[in-house]
Every structure is written in C-alpha cells, then in structure tokens.
C-alpha cells in the first residue's frame, strides 16, 4: 500500500485504532507518571497498575514503535518528548505542553464519552445520540450518578471561564441590569466574576448542582448579593430579573432543546426583557474546519458547534430578537430582547 505524494500516511494508518487505544490505555493506567517515578520495566509497571505483565508489555512495545515510549537494552522504558504529554502534571490542561488531555483517560467523563464514537454509524443511520446507544443512558445522567466526573466537568468549565471572565465582566454594564439570573451557571465562577466587577449587581444562579455554586459564592464573600436555586433550564425560571445569562450552554444541546432553553429565558424575562448568550461562536470557516469538536457534540449530547447566525435564528423562533453583539477575545456576548 502506498501513500499519496506529500501525505506521508496511508488510509489504513489514518484509520488505525490500535495506536489511539494503546495511548488511552497508557493514559488511564498512568504509565508516564509511573515511569517518571522510576518504575520502568514491564514487570514493575504491571505490578503497580495491577495488570497482566505480558499484555502490558505488548502495549508498551507498540507505543515504542509509535514514538511515545523508548526502550533500552535492559528492558527499561522511558518517555519520548511526545510521551511526556501523558504525564499527570495537569489533567485539565488543554493547550499543548505537559499534562494529558482529559479525553485520553478512560476513567474520566470525557475519556469515557470518547469511546462512544464506536456508535457513530448508529448516529449517522438513526440520528440518535451515540453515547446513549453505547451506554444506555445520557452523558448528563452519568454525571449525576458519578460525582468525580461531575467535578471534572465543572472544573474544566470554570478553567475556561477564568481565562476571559474578567473581560466579559468589563465588556458590558451588567450592573445597570440590577439583577441577573445565570441559567445553568455551573460552579458560579462567571457569576462571581460579574458581581465582583459590578458592586451594585445582584445574582441568582440556577443549576442542577447548585450546592457547588453556593460554595463558590460563599468563599467569595458574596452571600449577601447572590443566591442559588437547584433547577433545570428546561423548567420554569425565576421571573422578572434584569437579565438572563446563558454561558457555554447552547452547543451541548440539539436545536429543539436550545429553542426550549431560550424560550424559558424569554418567558421569565417577559416582554422587552433581556437574555444574554455568552459563548465562543464558531465562524462559518471555523465550523467547517473544526469538524472534530462538532462531531464530539453530536456523539456525546446530540448537540452541535453553532455559528452566531444559527443561534440567532433559534432565538428568533423562541421569541427573541438580536439587539447587539459585543466581541471579547474569543468570546461573544449576544444581547437578545424578548419580542
């Protein structure tokens, strides 16, 4: 089998499942961390990870051939530069460098979700969510059932907000709203950031795991200006606030669900009320280029990476019109008004 000129890989090499799965096994077992700690033979690593020495050694040998590990004449394994990225320095680190991405560790929520790609054909044929077909439950139900996975996803979301949260807080006069409802507000990181930047603002956070947000608010010393409510954005929301915020929510859901979520916000805001969608919208070019992220949304949740125009159209169907757009780095604040 020959490669196309300049391509460097055959179709079989591109479609190979062996190497991706051996990398995931190594990530899940913490092989890189154990090697760094001095456990460098297959026997030592197998004893530490409670695995079969022969089977593990065969996995490690494949990773040597893949350029992830090295092996010397005494049978001791080491890490290549690429292999260093499997170390646990920061599991939630997403932007290269050291620290394995969370989707490689099969014990994590994202790592588990990645395995549902084996059901992609079912999704293509039926439109059903691959995760549900593979596990018999939804991604969100699994998070509710497994607290460590829930913690992982909330930590990841908070990490992403921290990067640009201050810019979002300064980009709009949130204080003029008087009070806001952060709908599906996670661990409260964004709401706390807004309250700190606007001393006159009050806030309510609605989330299925509101206890986590309550702790964030309490630790920030903002109990007197914020409250939390255990609830869902598919249900009735507190009415009459100056603004309703949906941050990094829309891509996790199908079109029908996004319409419902936006409709609940519009219903609570009332005629002339304000709804803010704060997100990293894909441009048309980005949507065409970042197909992997879009497929993950499809496979995990039945969601999609949407452009601003696509969200605006769904908002229109939910009784909202776009009033203004504020761009803040990679983020966009879409201000909507209830018609």
């Amino acid at each position: 089998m020959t490669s196309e000129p300049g391509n460097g890989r055959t179709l079989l090499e591109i479609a190979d499942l062996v190497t991706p799965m051996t990398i995931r096994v190594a990530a899940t077992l913490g092989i890189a961390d154990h090697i760094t700690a001095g456990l460098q033979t297959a026997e030592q690593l197998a004893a530490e990870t409670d695995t079969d020495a022969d089977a593990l050694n065969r996995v490690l040998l494949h990773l040597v051939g893949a350029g992830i590990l090295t092996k010397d004449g005494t049978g001791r394994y080491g890490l290549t530069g690429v292999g260093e990225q499997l170390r646990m320095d920061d599991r939630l680190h997403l932007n290269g460098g050291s620290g394995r991405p969370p989707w490689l560790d099969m014990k994590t929520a994202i790592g588990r979700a990645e395995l549902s790609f084996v059901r992609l054909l079912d999704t293509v044929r039926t439109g059903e969510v691959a995760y549900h077909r593979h596990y018999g439950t939804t991604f969100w139900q699994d998070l509710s059932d497994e607290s460590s996975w829930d913690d992982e996803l909330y930590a990841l979301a908070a990490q992403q907000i921290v990067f640009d949260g201050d810019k979002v807080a300064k980009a709009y006069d949130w204080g003029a709203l008087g009070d806001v409802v952060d709908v599906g507000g996670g661990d409260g990181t964004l709401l706390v950031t807004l309250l700190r930047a606007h001393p006159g603002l009050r806030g309510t956070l609605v989330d299925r795991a509101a206890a986590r947000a309550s702790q964030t608010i309490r630790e920030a010393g903002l109990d007197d200006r914020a409250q939390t409510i255990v609830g869902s954005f598919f249900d009735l929301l507190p009415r009459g606030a100056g603004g309703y915020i949906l941050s990094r929510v829309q891509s996790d859901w199908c079109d029908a669900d996004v319409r419902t979520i936006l409709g609940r916000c519009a219903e609570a805001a009332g005629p002339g009320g304000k709804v803010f969608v704060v997100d990293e919208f894909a441009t048309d070019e980005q949507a065409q280029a970042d197909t992997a992220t879009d497929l993950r949304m499809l496979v995990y949740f039945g969601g999609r990476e949407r452009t601003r125009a696509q969200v605006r159209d769904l908002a229109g169907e939910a009784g909202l019109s776009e009033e203004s757009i504020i761009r803040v780095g990679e983020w966009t604040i879409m201000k909507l008004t209830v018609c």
Side-chain angles (χ1 to χ4, degrees):
M1 184 179 293
T2 59
S3 300
E4 291 290 334
N7 188 338
R9 292 194 296 168
T10 65
L11 181 61
L12 182 58
E13 289 168 331
I14 294 170
D16 166 48
L17 291 180
V18 177
T19 301
M21 287 309 301
T22 54
I23 290 171
R24 282 170 167 76
V25 168
T28 304
L29 295 175
I31 294 298
D33 301 289
H34 296 316
I35 288 175
T36 301
L39 303 176
Q40 297 177 327
T41 68
E43 291 75 16
Q44 290 172 329
L45 291 166
E48 181 67 22
T49 58
D50 193 25
T51 56
D52 181 83
D54 176 65
L56 180 61
N57 189 53
R58 292 157 75 174
V59 167
L60 301 178
L61 286 172
H62 182 79
L63 292 174
V64 171
I68 308 298
L69 301 180
T70 63
K71 186 181 183 183
D72 64 21
T74 68
R76 301 177 74 82
Y77 288 98
L79 302 174
T80 66
V82 176
E84 288 281 349
Q85 296 178 39
L86 286 173
R87 294 175 60 191
M88 179 64 110
D89 294 347
D90 179 3
R91 191 171 68 199
L92 296 181
H93 188 82
L94 299 179
N95 299 312
S98 63
R100 64 178 179 265
W103 55 82
L104 295 182
D105 186 337
M106 294 182 285
K107 299 192 305 295
T108 65
I110 297 176
R112 174 179 161 88
E114 283 286 286
L115 300 182
S116 59
F117 263 99
V118 299
R119 293 285 190 163
L120 179 58
L121 179 58
D122 291 335
T123 297
V124 171
R125 282 178 167 161
T126 68
E128 296 182 26
V129 178
Y131 190 100
H132 185 269
R133 289 292 292 252
H134 191 55
Y135 292 114
T137 186
T138 67
F139 181 88
W140 305 114
Q141 185 59 52
D142 266 346
L143 289 191
S144 296
D145 294 341
E146 178 52 64
S147 61
S148 65
W149 293 342
D150 213 21
D151 292 342
E152 171 195 329
L153 265 293
Y154 275 104
L156 179 59
Q159 183 187 57
Q160 293 168 332
I161 290 170
V162 164
F163 291 135
D164 288 308
D166 286 337
K167 296 177 183 177
V168 170
K170 295 174 183 176
Y172 183 78
D173 186 9
W174 301 101
L177 298 173
D179 59 334
V180 296
V181 176
D182 191 354
V183 182
D187 76 343
T189 298
L190 179 60
L191 180 59
V192 163
T193 302
L194 297 181
L195 294 175
R196 282 174 169 165
H198 301 275
L201 182 66
R202 301 182 64 85
T204 299
L205 183 142
V206 179
D207 195 270
R208 60 185 177 81
R212 184 179 282 100
S214 295
Q215 180 179 348
T216 302
I217 291 167
R218 184 169 57 254
E219 291 175 352
L222 294 168
D223 302 71
D224 59 330
R225 293 169 51 204
Q227 64 175 335
T228 62
I229 297 174
V230 177
S232 165
F233 36 51
F234 292 113
D235 299 328
L236 292 174
L237 298 171
R239 291 179 176 271
Y244 292 77
I245 301 171
L246 286 168
S247 173
R248 298 185 66 87
V249 168
Q250 55 83 23
S251 61
D252 295 344
W253 303 93
C254 67
D255 286 355
D257 286 340
V258 173
R259 278 193 295 270
T260 298
I261 294 166
L262 287 166
R264 285 301 192 189
C265 292
E267 178 184 26
K274 307 302 178 186
V275 177
F276 299 84
V277 180
V278 182
D279 218 318
E280 297 176 275
F281 299 113
T283 64
D284 289 331
E285 294 77 13
Q286 289 169 334
Q288 294 171 14
D290 191 9
T291 52
T293 299
D294 183 58
L295 284 173
R296 284 189 171 95
M297 298 300 100
L298 173 66
V299 165
Y300 296 1
F301 326 113
R304 69 189 312 140
E305 285 292 287
R306 294 182 177 86
T307 64
R308 180 171 64 87
Q310 289 173 320
V311 175
R312 182 188 59 211
D313 291 345
L314 291 172
E317 295 170 13
L320 293 155
S321 63
E322 183 180 281
E323 181 175 326
S324 63
I325 290 293
I326 302 172
R327 290 185 173 83
V328 187
E330 297 297 318
W331 292 60
T332 298
I333 302 171
M334 176 187 289
K335 182 180 179 181
L336 304 167
T337 301
V338 180
C339 300

